[in-house]
Amino acid sequence: MAMGKPRAVLVAFALLVVLDRGLVRANFYDECDVTWGPQNTAIWGNGENLALSLDSDHIGSAIRTTKQFLFGSVEMEIQLVPDNSAGTVAAYYTSSLGDYHDEIDYEFLGNETGQPYTIHTNVFGKGQGNKEVQFKPWFDPTEDYHNYTIFWSPTEIVWFIDQIPIRVYRNYESAGAPFPTNQPMRMYSSIWNADDWACQGGRVKTDWSKAPFVAKYRNLKLDVCECESADSISQCYSSSNWYNGWQYSKLTAAQLGQMNWVQQNYKIYDYCTDYKRFNGQMPVECSLPQY
């Protein structure tokens, strides 16, 4: 009996190692560049912690990874702006460059004190977006850090919060739906003022007396196929890459149950049900199964 507990701990640790898939914890000092507002950017704790702030002069801040990648998993733990965050947007997303860029978004739209954040997701393929799905969180994202993961493969994109899938967007490029397939991306994080639209359609403005507005980030993890140019794209389609494994081609039954729970209880907008917006001519993927 005395050996039971240490043995259980060792088994649990072994399982964690297997499930981790060799995720690389990125150092913000080494892996990222500050692209906006260096005076509003702080990195500490051996480079594992980041704070981005928006000041009373309406100047925000932003970082991006130095490396580009095509497919894989990007994770970040984020603690959002507390109290009155109306008008502010904290973003965490992947994007390529150019007019016909690809992009996978998490955007966190602030609100008045006591009102829930809006978690905004979107995807662009070859410059075409307008695929927004929004949620209210089932937790207070300002009280503690929560894990936000973007999984991207040639077959699908999945958004996770604390390992719970909240949305799937499958690759239906063959049916005419744009999907990010061949443009290397970087990971970006930023905070800025968007009170012309972000809070209750722009009706509630930013209270600058509450500035600075600070979002905190930590434990950035990358498990991606590094791809610095179009010439190296083919390597990211290799069947030997972990994300191309059959077990990552669709959600498990348990994950489907989790996602259905989130969507039934916390989804507040889905472009695929906004018939007025598209005048009844719905995007082609809306009539196809997503999972």
Side-chain angles (χ1 to χ4, degrees):
M1 294 294 293
M3 293 296 292
K5 187 172 181 180
R7 187 180 179 85
V9 171
L10 287 173
V11 171
F13 178 76
L15 288 172
L16 287 172
V17 170
V18 170
L19 294 172
D20 191 50
R21 300 187 322 275
L23 286 174
V24 177
R25 180 173 293 178
N27 183 300
F28 287 112
Y29 281 130
D30 300 333
E31 301 290 341
C32 298
D33 293 326
V34 177
T35 59
W36 180 39
Q39 71 276 24
N40 292 332
T41 304
I43 299 174
W44 71 97
N46 296 318
E48 293 187 358
N49 295 273
L50 167 74
L52 299 177
S53 65
L54 170 66
D55 65 26
S56 57
D57 293 325
H58 304 200
I59 299 173
S61 48
I63 58 116
R64 73 175 186 183
T65 55
T66 56
K67 296 176 181 177
Q68 299 183 87
F69 51 89
L70 189 71
F71 308 132
S73 174
V74 180
E75 298 186 23
M76 183 90 83
E77 293 181 11
I78 305 173
Q79 184 175 11
L80 297 177
V81 177
D83 302 321
N84 189 345
S85 57
T88 70
V89 176
Y92 161 57
Y93 62 103
T94 66
S95 182
S96 63
L97 300 176
D99 294 336
Y100 299 98
H101 76 291
D102 294 338
E103 185 174 327
I104 306 169
D105 292 340
Y106 263 118
E107 292 184 322
F108 307 98
L109 315 185
N111 213 330
E112 297 176 285
T113 303
Q115 299 300 313
Y117 263 80
T118 295
I119 299 174
H120 176 100
T121 66
N122 199 3
V123 57
F124 287 74
K126 299 173 179 61
Q128 298 183 45
N130 299 324
K131 304 182 186 303
E132 304 92 343
V133 179
Q134 296 181 336
F135 305 84
K136 295 295 184 187
W138 55 95
F139 52 89
D140 185 343
T142 73
E143 286 189 344
D144 203 352
Y145 289 88
H146 291 268
N147 180 291
Y148 301 88
T149 297
I150 296 170
F151 170 78
W152 173 34
S153 78
T155 58
E156 67 178 2
I157 299 165
V158 187
W159 292 256
F160 293 86
I161 299 178
D162 293 333
Q163 288 75 53
I164 296 174
I166 65 169
R167 178 186 178 186
V168 173
Y169 182 82
R170 296 197 67 82
N171 184 351
Y172 285 120
E173 201 164 29
S174 61
F179 190 90
T181 55
N182 59 9
Q183 298 188 72
M185 298 200 209
R186 289 183 170 92
M187 186 285 300
Y188 295 79
S189 290
S190 59
I191 186 170
W192 77 94
N193 177 51
D195 67 2
D196 57 332
W197 63 271
C199 186
Q200 300 179 35
R203 292 186 296 274
V204 180
K205 302 300 182 182
T206 304
D207 182 354
W208 293 106
S209 70
K210 306 296 184 183
F213 304 98
V214 181
K216 297 178 181 178
Y217 304 76
R218 71 183 186 189
N219 293 342
L220 170 64
K221 295 180 181 179
L222 305 173
D223 192 357
V224 296
C225 179
E226 291 184 27
C227 184
E228 292 302 318
S229 70
D231 296 334
S232 54
I233 285 176
S234 60
Q235 67 180 349
C236 297
Y237 280 90
S238 170
S239 60
S240 64
N241 291 314
W242 69 268
Y243 50 79
N244 285 324
W246 64 267
Q247 65 269 44
Y248 300 109
S249 63
K250 61 181 180 180
L251 299 182
T252 66
Q255 289 175 322
L256 281 172
Q258 290 175 322
M259 186 172 68
N260 287 334
W261 172 77
V262 171
Q263 296 210 351
Q264 290 170 11
N265 292 283
Y266 298 98
K267 184 169 68 174
I268 59 173
Y269 176 82
D270 188 333
Y271 76 106
C272 278
T273 61
D274 195 342
Y275 301 101
K276 182 178 180 181
R277 174 184 179 184
F278 296 102
N279 295 317
Q281 301 296 315
M282 304 305 292
V284 63
E285 69 272 11
C286 291
S287 63
L288 298 170
Q290 291 298 313
Y291 41 85

